[in-house]
Amino acid sequence: MIEDMLRTPSAVRDAERYTAHNYHPLPVVISSAEGAWLTDVDGRRYLDCLAGYSALNFGHRHPTLVRAAHEQLDRLTLTSRAFIHDQFADFCRELAALCGKDLVLPMNTGAEAVETGIKVARKWGYQVKKVTPGQANIIVADGNFHGRTTTIVSFSTDDDARADFGPYTPGFTVVPYGDLAALEAAIDENTVAVLLEPIQGEQGVVLPPEGYLPGVRRVCTDRNVLFIADEIQSGLGRTGRTFACDHEGVVPDMYLLGKALGGGIVPVSAVAADADVLGVLRPGQHGSTFGGNPLACAVATEVVRLLATGEFQRRSAELGERLRAGLEGLLGSGLVAVRVRGLWAGVDIDPALMTGRQACERLMERGVLAKDTHGSTIRLAPPLVITSDEIDHAVAQVAAVLAG
Ligand SMILES: *Cc1c(COP(=O)(O)O)cnc(C)c1O
């Protein structure tokens, strides 16, 4: 096609013209999608290897989820929590069961789930643990990503995420990720919680050393500290289990969920915990106008039902091994490191070869969309509905890009 006839260049310009530049998207303009495939405004097709940072675990427009959304749109979309609606109880009961917890508290975005976890942990600290008023402290990890609110960026260690957004919220201590001794040493009588990603997604799919998560669990139990697992990106099937914590048999006190919970249709997040923890909240102390709305609950209940069958976790585990084998075959041929858990891979490209951004641009030209993170690392996280042939296709395109 002649360059002048493509719609993409002007569509890219239009998209940049009236928006704050808080993102640096690849120059592709998507107009439709189904399953693991995207189509742009010029009719070109791409294999989605980002899946909305795991928000699209079930693929684009999964028929069961779209049907639930349509049916709910035709009946009831919003009540606020001032009234109870008929989709609420099923969602809360079924999600609590999936998590093995007594209660859930629904919000909308991941950052709100993290904020909710922080508030609940602090209140638990004062009311149950009897921490000195105003002194509650939460331990977090170096390299964390928990969202973009002012409190959350206060304990980010990424300068882009944090610089010039102060004054910063106090009450957080940062320790090296994966270092149990450092974490244990940081706990004092004011520590109410440890907040961690069981796998650090934004950091490049960084897995902690084996035994770390069980160690954190043990230390938290011994010292009467809540273990909060941010499973917003790692949870709900991405790693081949329902939760990334499951790989080491660890049960946190609080799960933070988001992204895939909304089925790629609506923003849905939640905190799941037992009654002795979430029960500290009383009416008026926390809330959200849209949290737990009927449309969100209708879609998210079907998400929970998809996960309850175990089918997606199995697919992710099995296909993840194929992805791992393919990517590990490229070690020494342009890749210097590969980290895989389920259908989630962090791939470090030899920085002498190209940046992660350049790799993603070249993958785009080859019909595969992925996202770089931190220099020469790219992350591959396709929808869990991807087929084994499509995985081979994606790996072949990575190989071709590395071969120049
Ligand atoms: C995406 C993400 C968040 C924030 O979620 P938003 O919906 O973007 O607010 C928090 N924690 C982790 C681990 C994430 O990946």
Side-chain angles (χ1 to χ4, degrees):
M1 218 181 299
I2 307 162
E3 192 70 13
D4 287 358
M5 292 168 63
L6 292 176
R7 294 180 58 199
T8 295
S10 68
V12 168
R13 268 196 309 279
D14 290 350
E16 303 259 296
R17 176 67 184 83
Y18 296 105
T19 183
H21 288 168
N22 57 327
Y23 280 90
H24 181 37
L26 288 170
V28 58
V29 183
I30 306 299
S31 58
S32 66
E34 187 172 358
W37 290 89
L38 303 155
T39 304
D40 77 5
V41 290
D42 290 309
R44 292 173 294 209
R45 296 181 78 230
Y46 304 86
L47 184 58
D48 186 354
C49 284
L50 180 63
Y53 301 91
S54 283
L56 289 151
N57 277 3
F58 311 97
H60 295 267
R61 298 167 48 247
H62 188 288
T64 306
L65 303 178
V66 168
R67 191 180 326 113
H70 276 300
E71 284 174 8
Q72 194 58 40
L73 276 172
D74 287 339
R75 291 201 309 120
L76 176 72
T77 56
L78 191 66
T79 56
S80 88
R81 294 283 308 278
F83 316 126
I84 302 169
H85 63 78
D86 66 358
Q87 300 298 306
F88 192 72
D90 282 351
F91 167 65
C92 294
R93 185 186 65 251
E94 293 183 35
L95 180 59
L98 185 78
C99 297
K101 296 293 185 191
D102 296 337
L103 304 174
V104 304
L105 192 166
M107 297 291 284
N108 310 283
T109 64
E112 288 174 307
V114 176
E115 291 277 352
T116 303
I118 291 168
K119 286 177 69 176
V120 168
R122 285 178 172 180
K123 206 163 199 63
W124 173 88
Y126 298 123
Q127 298 200 336
V128 179
K129 186 169 175 173
K130 307 292 181 198
V131 166
T132 309
Q135 297 302 306
N137 192 267
I138 294 176
I139 296 172
V140 298
D142 190 13
N144 70 72
F145 182 85
H146 297 289
R148 301 295 197 172
T149 64
T150 46
T151 286
I152 293 171
V153 300
S154 293
F155 56 84
S156 172
T157 56
D158 174 351
D159 201 48
D160 279 339
R162 184 174 191 271
D164 294 337
F165 295 124
Y168 300 112
T169 307
F172 299 93
T173 303
V174 181
V175 298
Y177 188 62
D179 183 342
L180 186 62
L183 184 142
E184 191 159 15
I187 294 177
D188 65 20
E189 71 279 8
N190 295 324
T191 307
V192 296
V194 171
L195 167 62
L196 291 176
E197 298 155 85
I199 295 173
Q200 290 188 327
E202 294 304 307
Q203 191 61 20
V205 192
V206 172
L207 292 111
E210 210 179 312
Y212 177 66
L213 296 174
V216 172
R217 174 67 280 178
R218 194 173 57 248
V219 167
C220 285
T221 303
D222 289 351
R223 306 289 293 273
N224 194 25
V225 167
L226 299 177
F227 181 4
I228 307 176
D230 180 344
E231 293 254 16
I232 290 168
Q233 193 167 159
S234 60
L236 309 183
R238 173 53 56 190
T239 67
R241 305 289 297 268
T242 303
F243 301 109
C245 284
D246 293 344
H247 289 276
E248 296 203 62
V250 166
V251 179
D253 298 294
M254 238 192 268
Y255 289 105
L256 308 181
L257 303 174
K259 293 203 166 99
L261 191 56
I265 298 178
V266 274
V268 187
S269 67
V271 170
D274 279 336
D276 57 340
V277 176
L278 263 184
V280 298
L281 289 181
R282 312 304 311 159
Q285 296 175 350
H286 192 56
S288 159
T289 303
F290 292 96
N293 69 71
L295 182 60
C297 287
V299 172
T301 300
E302 292 302 329
V303 165
V304 172
R305 289 175 185 167
L306 290 179
L307 285 165
T309 69
E311 178 200 332
F312 287 92
Q313 293 90 324
R314 265 194 307 280
R315 283 189 74 82
S316 177
E318 285 167 19
L319 294 172
E321 285 314 305
R322 195 172 183 100
L323 181 63
R324 176 200 303 281
L327 292 172
E328 284 181 351
L330 301 176
L331 284 169
S333 310
L335 295 188
V336 293
V338 170
R339 296 169 297 277
V340 183
R341 177 121 319 156
L343 278 173
W344 206 19
V347 173
D348 298 343
I349 296 166
D350 180 352
L353 221 53
M354 66 189 89
T355 64
R357 173 77 187 189
Q358 287 166 330
C360 289
E361 286 169 354
R362 292 176 199 177
L363 280 171
M364 180 189 80
E365 286 159 16
R366 296 182 152 276
V368 172
L369 293 186
K371 178 71 175 75
D372 55 301
T373 177
H374 300 282
S376 51
T377 299
I378 61 174
R379 167 181 28 196
L380 298 173
L384 310 183
V385 296
I386 195 171
T387 65
S388 52
D389 286 351
E390 289 164 348
I391 286 173
D392 294 349
H393 174 73
V395 170
Q397 302 319 306
V398 173
V401 164
L402 294 173

